[in-house]
Amino acid sequence: MSSFRFHLQKYKTGSKITCPACGKKRCFTKYIDEEGIITFPDTVGKCDHECSCGYHYTPKEFFNDYPEQKSVFKDNAKFSIPQRIPKIEPPKPPSFIPTELMRKSLSCYSLNPLYTYLSNIIGEEETKRLFLLYHVGTSKKWGGSTVFWQTDIHGNVRTGKVMLYNANTGHRVKEPKSYISWAHSELKLTDFNLKQCLFGEHLLPSSNAKIFLVESEKTVLICAHFMPEYLWLATGGMNGCFNTDAMSVLKDRDVILVPDLGATDKWKAKLPMLKSICHSVSISNTLEKVATKEQRESGSDVADLLLIEETKESIFHRLKEKYPSLKLLDEYLDLEIE
């Protein structure tokens, strides 16, 4: 039993009703009064579709709208309250950063530690090509940090993630603090409505290649070098922009998920959502099968395996050398087709 007097009704057959906002059936959970005194109208509750609908009208909001009903706490009389559908405001459009600001940052790479690191691994010419292709810039913040610009499918710049890397290890600098910020915050843009998009999304219209979706922007750059026959995109984290709105750009595309170690189960939970959007979607279990204990503890990703110093080359390229007839990466990735 809930410790709160007002709480969402526990699920049982027939308990969910039609949402008053989006009109979808059997997706709306009402609030109930644990003491059985108040019967809320069918508009006081929460819709299951948090991304596409987002309707949530709480008892607190209800009593703010109907202050006269608070008398129920005094007279303890049972009553029902008239239906009321709160006004649903249309979604606010995303804000954008001027494209020219993004383009100006695609320079001063000698100050960029991540650029220095990758240049030592894959060569400066290739590093510069990837930085320009994926809209990776340099910020003056912290003496030269990396800016991973999020440019959407229409070419609009949504924001940029600013992070500081170690030029020797290629790892993020996390001590004495985590050096991470956002372009829209650094630019002090007022009333900025942030709606993130996939990193690399601007490349979708010009590529029909199979899409590999990873967490990290740095991973995208490394994988795009070793496996350029595929289109690599990043969510920007385990959860990142992993929602229906952001994933809609993958409509009718073939997508393979390559989560970091430890995130596979969470990404598997996203498969039903992606199946309703993509032409096909699958998830790779390779990292989980080949990772060492140390790699699991550190939450390594596919890029870490590609850059294992002892091998001097990617495990994928070694496999292709061993099996010349193997043409598709997903033949090796040991996919779970959902």
Side-chain angles (χ1 to χ4, degrees), residues 15-29 42:
S15 65
K16 293 194 176 185
I17 61 176
T18 300
C19 175
C22 66
K24 294 182 180 179
K25 297 180 179 179
R26 296 183 294 278
C27 68
F28 188 78
T29 304
D42 290 346

Side-chain angles (χ1 to χ4, degrees), residues 39-220:
T39 301
F40 288 109
D42 290 346
T43 56
V44 182
K46 182 179 181 181
C47 181
D48 292 343
H49 302 286
E50 294 185 17
C51 295
S52 59
C53 178
Y55 181 94
H56 188 188
Y57 189 42
T58 66
K60 180 179 179 180
E61 292 171 322
F62 171 78
F63 285 118
N64 286 337
D65 293 336
Y66 291 95
E68 69 278 4
Q69 302 296 350
K70 290 185 178 180
S71 61
V72 69
F73 294 107
K74 296 180 179 179
D75 57 32
N76 216 35
K78 289 190 176 184
F79 68 95
S80 295
I81 304 165
Q83 293 281 356
R84 172 186 178 273
I85 299 180
K87 182 180 179 182
I88 306 298
E89 297 292 338
K92 186 179 179 181
S95 298
F96 303 127
I97 293 174
T99 304
E100 184 58 28
L101 289 178
M102 178 272 289
R103 296 198 181 281
K104 284 183 178 180
S105 78
L106 307 183
S107 60
C108 300
Y109 289 140
S110 61
L111 303 176
N112 193 315
L114 181 61
Y115 184 89
T116 300
Y117 170 76
L118 289 178
S119 293
N120 292 331
I121 300 295
I122 62 177
E124 184 172 0
E125 183 177 346
E126 174 67 353
T127 301
K128 185 173 183 179
R129 183 189 74 84
L130 290 169
F131 269 48
L132 294 176
L133 178 66
Y134 275 94
H135 295 176
V136 182
T138 304
S139 168
K140 293 184 294 184
K141 192 173 182 66
W142 303 312
S145 46
T146 303
V147 186
F148 296 109
W149 293 102
Q150 293 183 7
T151 308
D152 67 25
I153 196 170
H154 303 295
N156 300 307
V157 181
R158 300 287 186 94
T159 189
K161 188 188 292 185
V162 184
M163 293 193 286
L164 182 63
Y165 286 84
N166 183 300
N168 296 318
T169 66
H171 295 155
R172 279 180 51 204
V173 178
K174 299 181 180 180
E175 296 294 341
K177 65 176 183 178
S178 182
Y179 291 85
I180 182 170
S181 185
W182 295 91
H184 61 276
S185 298
E186 296 300 323
L187 292 169
K188 295 180 171 56
L189 300 177
T190 58
D191 299 323
F192 193 87
N193 183 36
L194 174 62
K195 286 193 176 182
Q196 294 190 63
C197 68
L198 294 169
F199 173 69
E201 182 178 308
H202 62 283
L203 299 174
L204 282 168
S206 59
S207 174
N208 293 320
K210 181 174 292 187
I211 294 166
F212 278 75
L213 196 60
V214 297
E215 295 185 28
S216 163
E217 296 90 348
K218 187 186 83 171
T219 299
V220 163

Side-chain angles (χ1 to χ4, degrees), residues 269-313:
K270 305 287 187 179
L271 286 173
M273 179 263 287
L274 286 169
K275 285 174 62 178
S276 67
I277 298 171
C278 306
H279 175 262
S280 68
V281 61
S282 47
I283 191 165
S284 169
N285 274 344
T286 298
L287 293 181
E288 297 291 349
K289 290 186 176 182
V290 305
T292 64
K293 178 182 178 182
E294 292 74 16
Q295 289 168 336
R296 293 182 187 281
E297 291 175 349
S298 64
S300 296
D301 62 13
V302 64
D304 294 314
L305 269 69
L306 289 170
L307 296 179
I308 292 175
E309 187 175 355
E310 292 78 6
T311 65
K312 300 298 182 184
E313 59 188 69

